[in-house]
Amino acid sequence: MEGLLFFPQPLPDESIYSLAVRYHRLAANISYRVTSQELFGAYSRTCGSILPCCLGRLSQRLGTLYSVKDLVDRFTLLPLYRPFVDDVKYRAAIVAMTGNDGTGLKMSLGITASRFLRHASFRYCESCVREDTLRYGAAYWHRVHQAIGTCICPLHRDVLWAMTFPDGADWRCMLLPAEAGGTPVLQSPGETAAGSIAKMQLWGLENPKNVQSLLAGDFLRCRLDEMGFIQSGRTRERMLKSFLGPRLLCGPPAPEFQEITHSSDWIFRVLRPRGVVQPLKFYFLCWLLGLDLEQLKLFPPKDALHSVNLSCSNGSANVANKEDIEARRSAFSSSSNLKCHEKPGYMWLYRHDREWLAQYVALHPFIRSRGELINWGARDSALARELLIANERLRSAEGKPQKVTRAALCRLVAHSHDFLRKPNHFPISIKLMEDLLESSHDHQVRKIKWAVKIYVLDERCAKSVVYRFSGIRVSQVSDGEYSSLLRSRA
Ligand SMILES: [Zn+2]
């Protein structure tokens, strides 16, 4: 395989596409096709992508200059995704980028499903263009500017511009930044969220291992714990949603953010990931939780904390860390009347200061406050009295006699809810209720007595008339009883 006779000296954070454009210019090639053939030994359709393919051939042509891994790490955006994908997927991505066919690569990294790609553009910072031209003699495409969700230059805090390739062409026309017209990707410069996210993305791109440590240390969960969104080891989802709702509206007004600011559902998928988390979602969530790059950098990785803990026990701890640990211990131990899982900083101490936590919990067992015990006996007696009164009220109510039923009695007493749900606490009342309930026969007898009295009925009246006045359709009263009821009137 032919080696390349020359290749541009890579500039800081330069993308593969940018190198290809500068090579194209130096070689004075007439088309992208020629350049692609020379660089990649094939016609690459992904040279302008954030995850370009054909890197195996390019690495071979560059001799010992760069391995495929070097090319991927230095000139593509895969390192930004590295912390969020498992080893198998990462290796598969490298294989795809080594070969000529990158089909399915973006899909496997969840980029296609995220719908962010539809808002992708070739972005540049005007200040970078000026400075790069002065310093290096040419502007070039910065890798981080192409990361999805980067709207502001992390170095200059200027809003990035999206370049429009002329005459409907695409990146194959091999242009460098600002060589065609562009439009700003944000209308409001100095946007705090966009600036903070851009800085975090640049750091994540350059330090994938540190981001891996954050994820391994359950960074976001620790933050939620600090903010009081974790209780008994569970996320207080409703509370978190109501906190994030207004904050989501303060997200950068760029199109890719509009894919995720209309709902907070994606946040729980970032907190409990099943697939690949999009870096933008992770860093945006960091911002939503009030975090910035400095706090990401300060989060101690597990190993470091382990050594801090060890040194603590040896009495030679780092002062800052020692103070931090003391502050957290003090906050934890001063929150009495809470279960240990609910005390502030439990998650943090569990992860970073477990020995002390175990000792503290062993020495301070949680004693559940039993509060005022309910005197069920007194409540039962009171209810029984109420039932007697209710029974009296029902039976003495004016108008046609109302049947004394369970429902009618319950409507007239306090604690009827407890009474129905916890019957074993009310033995006296339950027994009394059984005695008070009126049978259909007794109710009909009461109704006949009432009709006889109200309508002045006697034995001369037809039985059907008496029953009609009494509101009885099917009689359960015997003839003898009926006669004696009518006679009692006389
Ligand atoms: Zn810049």
Side-chain angles (χ1 to χ4, degrees):
M1 178 162 300
E2 282 181 36
L4 290 170
L5 294 175
F6 65 92
F7 192 69
Q9 178 70 34
L11 300 172
D13 197 40
E14 187 168 16
S15 70
I16 284 278
Y17 174 66
S18 186
L19 285 163
V21 175
R22 293 204 293 124
Y23 173 88
H24 178 81
R25 303 277 176 92
L26 290 169
N29 285 334
I30 53 162
S31 68
Y32 167 68
R33 185 172 294 278
V34 179
T35 297
S36 178
Q37 200 65 42
E38 289 176 7
L39 291 178
F40 308 115
Y43 183 77
S44 168
R45 296 177 190 281
T46 57
C47 178
S49 164
I50 55 171
L51 303 173
C53 300
C54 304
L55 300 184
R57 293 272 188 86
L58 177 61
S59 171
Q60 286 170 356
R61 283 165 189 243
L62 289 169
T64 55
L65 212 49
Y66 300 108
S67 65
V68 172
K69 178 88 171 44
D70 291 336
L71 292 173
V72 167
D73 287 349
R74 290 189 54 180
F75 311 119
T76 80
L77 279 170
L78 191 63
L80 186 63
Y81 292 82
R82 175 65 188 106
F84 304 97
V85 297
D86 58 34
D87 290 345
V88 175
K89 272 206 173 117
Y90 177 68
R91 280 198 295 271
I94 296 271
V95 168
M97 291 167 79
T98 306
N100 290 4
D101 183 16
T103 311
L105 173 58
K106 285 181 178 163
M107 199 180 290
S108 73
L109 298 178
I111 301 173
T112 313
S114 72
R115 298 153 63 96
F116 289 141
L117 276 184
R118 63 173 72 183
H119 310 295
S121 52
F122 280 76
R123 298 179 178 186
Y124 62 92
C125 156
E126 290 185 313
S127 299
C128 283
V129 168
R130 272 195 303 277
E131 283 187 12
D132 295 341
T133 309
L134 281 175
R135 191 175 299 162
Y136 306 113
Y140 64 95
W141 295 105
H142 288 243
R143 196 171 46 147
V144 70
H145 293 167
Q146 317 312 321
I148 294 163
T150 299
C151 305
I152 283 190
C153 174
L155 298 178
H156 299 102
R157 302 192 63 77
D158 290 349
V159 171
L160 297 182
W161 285 61
M163 197 167 89
T164 312
F165 290 95
D167 307 323
D170 64 9
W171 52 266
R172 289 173 180 82
C173 62
M174 307 304 270
L175 295 181
L176 288 172
E179 289 183 341
T183 46
V185 298
L186 274 183
Q187 293 307 320
S188 48
E191 175 61 51
T192 55
S196 183
I197 292 163
K199 277 186 173 181
M200 288 193 262
Q201 295 224 94
L202 175 60
W203 179 74
L205 178 62
E206 291 175 342
N207 303 280
K209 284 211 163 75
N210 294 29
V211 182
Q212 272 175 322
S213 301
L214 290 181
L215 299 177
D218 238 348
F219 173 66
L220 288 175
R221 204 171 159 75
C222 289
R223 177 61 179 165
L224 290 178
D225 187 32
E226 277 176 356
M227 296 175 82
F229 290 124
I230 303 277
Q231 188 179 37
S232 305
R234 287 168 172 253
T235 310
R236 303 165 90 175
E237 292 194 6
R238 201 179 298 173
M239 196 173 149
L240 180 59
K241 270 190 177 180
S242 56
F243 167 77
L244 291 172
R247 213 157 153 73
L248 276 167
L249 300 176
C250 301
E256 57 261 53
F257 283 92
Q258 279 158 23
E259 294 285 346
I260 46 176
T261 47
H262 60 85
S263 157
S264 57
D265 292 346
W266 60 271
I267 288 161
F268 298 97
R269 291 193 288 276
V270 173
L271 293 171
R272 292 186 286 269
R274 288 197 187 143
V276 180
V277 168
Q278 292 305 295
L280 170 58
K281 289 184 177 177
F282 176 80
Y283 296 113
F284 185 34
L285 180 54
C286 287
W287 179 82
L288 288 170
L289 296 176
L291 295 162
D292 59 19
L293 177 57
E294 293 314 307
Q295 284 157 295
L296 265 63
K297 285 180 180 172
L298 283 174
F299 185 76
K302 262 184 183 174
D303 296 347
L305 272 158
H306 186 59
S307 60
V308 166
N309 286 341
L310 289 178
S311 60
C312 255
S313 58
N314 294 338
S316 58
N318 170 305
V319 175
N321 283 331
K322 201 172 179 181
E323 279 175 5
D324 188 27
I325 288 173
E326 281 308 323
R328 287 175 191 270
R329 285 178 181 178
S330 155
F332 183 84
S333 51
S334 60
S335 311
S336 51
N337 300 329
L338 285 175
K339 288 187 215 167
C340 68
H341 293 90
E342 293 167 359
K343 293 188 182 192
Y346 170 79
M347 282 294 292
W348 192 94
L349 290 165
Y350 180 81
R351 190 167 297 283
H352 306 307
D353 197 10
R354 200 175 302 181
E355 203 175 318
W356 177 86
L357 182 67
Q359 277 180 4
Y360 181 88
V361 172
L363 291 174
H364 303 82
F366 174 71
I367 297 163
R368 186 185 296 275
S369 159
R370 299 186 68 84
E372 290 272 308
L373 284 178
I374 295 173
N375 187 344
W376 290 107
R379 197 173 276 190
D380 188 17
S381 306
L383 181 66
R385 281 193 298 278
E386 284 185 73
L387 283 172
L388 285 171
I389 295 166
N391 178 56
E392 201 50 44
R393 276 179 62 191
L394 284 172
R395 286 175 186 273
S396 58
E398 286 190 9
K400 190 182 281 184
Q402 212 183 122
K403 192 174 181 183
V404 181
T405 61
R406 194 183 301 269
L409 286 169
C410 281
R411 273 197 293 272
L412 296 176
V413 298
H415 296 299
S416 60
H417 190 66
D418 280 350
F419 179 42
L420 296 172
R421 290 185 59 182
K422 300 170 184 168
N424 49 338
H425 285 304
F426 296 90
I428 303 169
S429 305
I430 291 287
K431 176 76 180 63
L432 180 65
M433 165 101 63
E434 294 301 324
D435 295 341
L436 294 178
L437 294 181
E438 192 176 28
S439 67
S440 296
H441 166 267
D442 293 352
H443 186 217
Q444 286 190 357
V445 168
R446 246 185 348 116
K447 286 201 284 190
I448 293 171
K449 280 183 182 171
W450 169 79
V452 165
K453 185 179 169 193
I454 295 294
Y455 300 109
V456 200
L457 308 173
D458 56 27
E459 284 171 289
R460 287 168 297 178
C461 294
K463 202 182 217 176
S464 60
V465 174
V466 174
Y467 277 167
R468 193 166 70 245
F469 279 119
S470 308
I472 295 170
R473 287 187 181 175
V474 181
S475 169
Q476 295 191 3
V477 180
S478 67
D479 289 344
E481 245 180 322
Y482 174 79
S483 304
S484 71
L485 283 170
L486 271 286
R487 268 202 305 278
S488 67
R489 160 73 190 159

